[in-house]
Amino acid sequence: MDLSKYKIEGSNQVYYIPEFLTRDEEIYLIRKIQESPRQSWKELANRRLQLWGGQLTSKNILMPQPLPSFATTYPDIIPRLQSTGVFSASAHQAPNHIIMNEYLPGQGIMPHQDGPAYHPVVATISLGSHTVFHYYRYKNLDEGPELVSSTNGRIIDTTPSLSVLLEPRSVVITTGEYYETRLHGIQETKEDNFIATDGMIAPRLAGLDVEIANWKLLGSNEVKDDVLNGGTLERSVRYSLTCRDVENVANLRTLLARK
Ligand SMILES: O=C(O)CCC(=O)C(=O)O
Ligand SMILES: [Fe+2]
C-alpha cells in the first residue's frame, strides 16, 4: 500500500486512512462488542475498555491470549494493518494487542503517552462515531511562566500541535516523534463545532481554534460539508481499537523465570 498519499499535512509521521473498514464490517464489529459479556469490560472512572490479545504485566510483558476472530479473520484487521507496512520493523511485524475503548458522548481521554511496552507505532480505528484527536507537545523549560498542567513534572502545551478529525471506519496511524515525544488525547465534549474557511485553507475547530489537519483526506462528503461550512458534528457512542505490537511476550521460559 502506498501510505504517502495518506500522510497528514504538517505532521510527516501521522497518517489518516478514511474508510479503512466497510460499513458492513463496522456494523458487525459493533454488534460483537455490544454482545460481549459484562465481565469482559474493564470499568474506569470515566469510560470502559476491553483488552484483546492479553494483559501486560507490571514489567510490560504480554501474557498472550488469542486475538478474537473479528480482528484477525472477519474483518481481517491485522493483515490489513500489516499491508500498510508500518509494522514491518516491529518485533512481530504485526500488532499483537488491541485496546478497545468505549466513549459515550462527553467522554474522552486525558493527554498521555503510550509508553515503552510497545513498538513505537499505533494504529487507532474508530467505529460508530467521529471524534477529534489532538496531539500535544511538552513545553521547553524556557517557554513562558503560564504553567497550566503537567505530567511527570513536565509542562504540557495545552494548545494542540496537531488536531485530526477521526471519522467512523477510519484509521489514524501514529509513528516517529508523534509516538515517542508527543502526547495525545480526546476532549470531553458532546459535539464539535467547526469554523468555515474559504475552502483553500484548513477549516478550524471552534473553541480551541486549531486547524483540522486532515481536512483534505476526509472520506465522507457529509462530514466534509459540515466541517468546511462551519457546521456541528454531534458525537455518539464511539468504539476505538488501539492496535500495537507489544515487544516482550511471555513464553514458557519467561513464565518459569517469574517464579
Ligand atoms: O480511543 C482513542 O482513540 C485513543 C485511545 C488511546 O489513546 C489509548 O488507548 O492509549
Ligand atoms: Fe493512547
Side-chain angles (χ1 to χ4, degrees), residues 67 78 81-82 87 90 92-98 243-245:
L67 284 165
I78 302 296
L81 288 173
Q82 281 182 292
F87 287 98
S90 78
H92 309 92
Q93 282 108 53
N96 59 8
H97 194 249
I98 299 178
C243 309
R244 289 174 290 209
D245 187 358

Side-chain angles (χ1 to χ4, degrees), residues 3 20 29 32 40-41 47 56 60 71 88 108 126 128 147 163 174 182 189 191 206 210 226 233 245 249-252:
L3 249 199
F20 186 71
L29 272 167
K32 287 293 180 189
S40 47
W41 290 96
R47 64 174 200 286
L56 288 175
N60 287 334
S88 58
S126 294
L147 310 183
S163 301
T174 308
R182 309 233 182 168
T189 179
E191 59 177 43
V210 291
D226 258 333
L233 289 176
D245 187 358
V249 177
N251 54 31
L252 202 51

Side-chain angles (χ1 to χ4, degrees), residues 125-136:
I125 295 170
S126 294
L127 305 170
S129 174
H130 84 284
T131 199
V132 180
F133 195 82
H134 300 289
Y135 295 89
Y136 302 87

Side-chain angles (χ1 to χ4, degrees), residues 78-196:
I78 302 296
R80 219 175 285 180
L81 288 173
Q82 281 182 292
S83 74
T84 66
V86 296
F87 287 98
S88 58
S90 78
H92 309 92
Q93 282 108 53
N96 59 8
H97 194 249
I98 299 178
I99 299 179
M100 190 275 289
N101 282 295
E102 177 191 65
Y103 301 89
L104 306 179
Q107 294 183 331
I109 188 167
M110 295 281 285
H112 66 279
Q113 285 190 282
D114 285 355
Y118 308 97
H119 179 75
V121 169
V122 51
T124 307
I125 295 170
S126 294
L127 305 170
S129 174
H130 84 284
T131 199
V132 180
F133 195 82
H134 300 289
Y135 295 89
Y136 302 87
R137 58 181 196 88
Y138 291 106
K139 277 193 170 176
N140 296 322
L141 289 175
D142 54 3
E143 281 179 82
E146 72 284 22
L147 310 183
V148 189
S149 59
S150 76
T151 182
N152 308 331
R154 299 177 72 188
I155 312 303
I156 302 169
D157 186 341
T158 53
T159 302
S161 56
L162 187 77
S163 301
V164 181
L165 174 59
L166 306 184
E167 296 166 285
R169 302 177 295 286
S170 71
V171 65
V172 62
I173 300 175
T174 308
T175 73
E177 69 169 299
Y178 278 81
Y179 186 100
E180 286 174 284
T181 67
R182 309 233 182 168
L183 307 98
H184 54 273
I186 296 170
Q187 291 209 315
E188 294 185 336
T189 179
K190 292 188 173 166
E191 59 177 43
D192 297 285
N193 300 294
F194 302 95
I195 304 169

Side-chain angles (χ1 to χ4, degrees), residues 176-247:
E177 69 169 299
Y178 278 81
Y179 186 100
E180 286 174 284
T181 67
R182 309 233 182 168
L183 307 98
H184 54 273
I186 296 170
Q187 291 209 315
E188 294 185 336
T189 179
K190 292 188 173 166
E191 59 177 43
D192 297 285
N193 300 294
F194 302 95
I195 304 169
T197 52
D198 58 7
M200 303 296 285
I201 59 168
R204 305 180 78 82
L205 182 69
L208 285 170
D209 198 23
V210 291
E211 290 183 357
I212 299 297
N214 62 326
W215 65 294
K216 288 184 188 162
L217 294 168
L218 293 172
S220 148
N221 287 332
E222 276 164 53
V223 169
K224 218 182 281 182
D225 280 352
D226 258 333
V227 171
L228 287 176
N229 295 321
T232 294
L233 289 176
E234 307 268 345
R235 291 191 190 174
S236 51
V237 179
R238 172 175 176 264
Y239 300 100
S240 69
L241 310 185
T242 297
C243 309
R244 289 174 290 209
D245 187 358
V246 182
E247 310 224 299

